[in-house]
Amino acid sequence: MRQSSQISKLTGLRAGFAALSIFALFSVSGLANAADAAPMAAPAAEAKAPAVPGKPKTDAAAGETLYSAGDSTRGVVACITCHGPKGQSAVGTWPKLAAQHAAYTAKQLKNFKDGSRANPIMMGMAATLTEQDMNNIATFLSKQAPSQGVAQNKDTIELGQSIYRGGIASKGVPACAACHSPNGAGIPAQYPRLGGQWAEYSNAQLLAFREGTRKNSPQMAIVAARLSDQEMKAVADYMAGLR
């Protein structure tokens, strides 16, 4: 009887141990499943996150209307008077704007309006424009055919080409092509198109950067400060013929 009692107790202990083992196994398994399930919940949470707003929409047609006719109800003057049909100005006093990168044109208009780029005429023109107007006009201009031009001074074309393509190492002047591209097309949203621009206008801007009257591009102020009058004229004339 004593032996049977001992066997019975041993069997009970084994059964209890087995039950505890099974309970522990299911507990660990449950934790593992919970851990595995956690990453699965992440995408659902991410899916509910608000979408990041995209770039503001622009309206090239509205930009063309403002460019060509202005808006008398708001005092907006037509740009075409000075900059010509489709951004092709007739004289070097006013820059050609056709095919210029939209982000660059919009930035210049904003700079005229906030005063960080000084020009009495353009500051007055930009004062009546909203940011949406600026973006619309810039978009319209960016869709026009690039301006064509020709270098005029045969005596300085080699100097201009040398500066544009290779810079002036002795003066620490970098090659213009590095930022404005070999054909003068520039790099969208960063560096403007210069190919085909009036040499007179490009030279005037280099002088303005050097003299500090144009201050909305610190890097160009540094470059222009290292150029002589002859070098400015030579590279401006060379850029006029790029396409």
Side-chain angles (χ1 to χ4, degrees):
M1 294 294 293
R2 186 177 299 176
Q3 185 176 3
S4 298
S5 176
Q6 289 177 345
I7 291 173
S8 181
K9 289 180 179 180
L10 181 59
T11 301
L13 287 172
R14 287 176 177 174
F17 179 78
L20 287 172
S21 298
I22 291 172
F23 176 79
L25 178 62
F26 276 109
S27 297
V28 172
S29 177
L31 289 173
N33 288 337
D36 290 341
M40 295 298 289
E46 290 174 1
K48 295 179 181 179
V52 177
K55 294 181 179 179
K57 293 182 178 180
T58 58
D59 187 337
E64 180 178 14
T65 298
L66 283 176
Y67 182 89
S68 301
D71 184 347
S72 59
T73 64
R74 296 190 288 134
V76 177
V77 180
C79 315
I80 194 173
T81 305
C82 297
H83 295 285
K86 299 182 178 180
Q88 301 281 0
S89 66
V91 294
T93 305
W94 313 110
K96 298 176 183 179
L97 302 177
Q100 186 58 268
H101 308 307
Y104 180 79
T105 300
K107 178 183 182 297
Q108 300 313 302
L109 288 171
K110 291 172 187 175
N111 289 169
F112 284 129
K113 186 169 184 174
D114 65 26
S116 57
R117 181 175 176 183
N119 180 292
I121 295 175
M122 281 307 304
M123 291 169 80
M125 297 284 282
T128 58
L129 297 175
T130 65
E131 185 171 346
Q132 186 65 57
D133 292 335
M134 296 176 187
N135 290 331
N136 290 344
I137 292 171
T139 298
F140 162 68
L141 289 168
S142 71
K143 296 180 181 296
Q144 306 312 303
S147 301
Q148 302 295 316
V150 179
Q152 301 290 330
N153 194 336
K154 295 181 180 180
D155 295 333
T156 64
I157 195 167
E158 289 187 6
L159 174 60
Q161 181 181 44
S162 175
I163 295 171
Y164 188 85
R165 297 191 178 281
I168 307 175
S170 62
K171 290 186 173 184
V173 174
C176 311
C179 294
H180 297 284
S181 79
N183 66 348
I187 300 175
Q190 298 181 57
Y191 303 104
R193 172 185 290 276
L194 299 178
Q197 186 58 266
W198 293 109
E200 178 185 345
Y201 179 77
S202 294
N203 185 62
Q205 297 313 299
L206 287 171
L207 284 170
F209 281 126
R210 188 179 71 183
E211 295 170 0
T213 54
R214 181 173 174 180
K215 304 176 181 180
N216 68 333
S217 178
Q219 62 267 42
M220 279 307 305
I222 294 172
V223 172
R226 298 169 181 173
L227 294 173
S228 67
D229 289 351
Q230 181 186 17
E231 291 163 344
M232 287 183 182
K233 289 180 180 179
V235 75
D237 185 62
Y238 176 75
M239 292 190 300
L242 290 173
R243 60 188 67 185

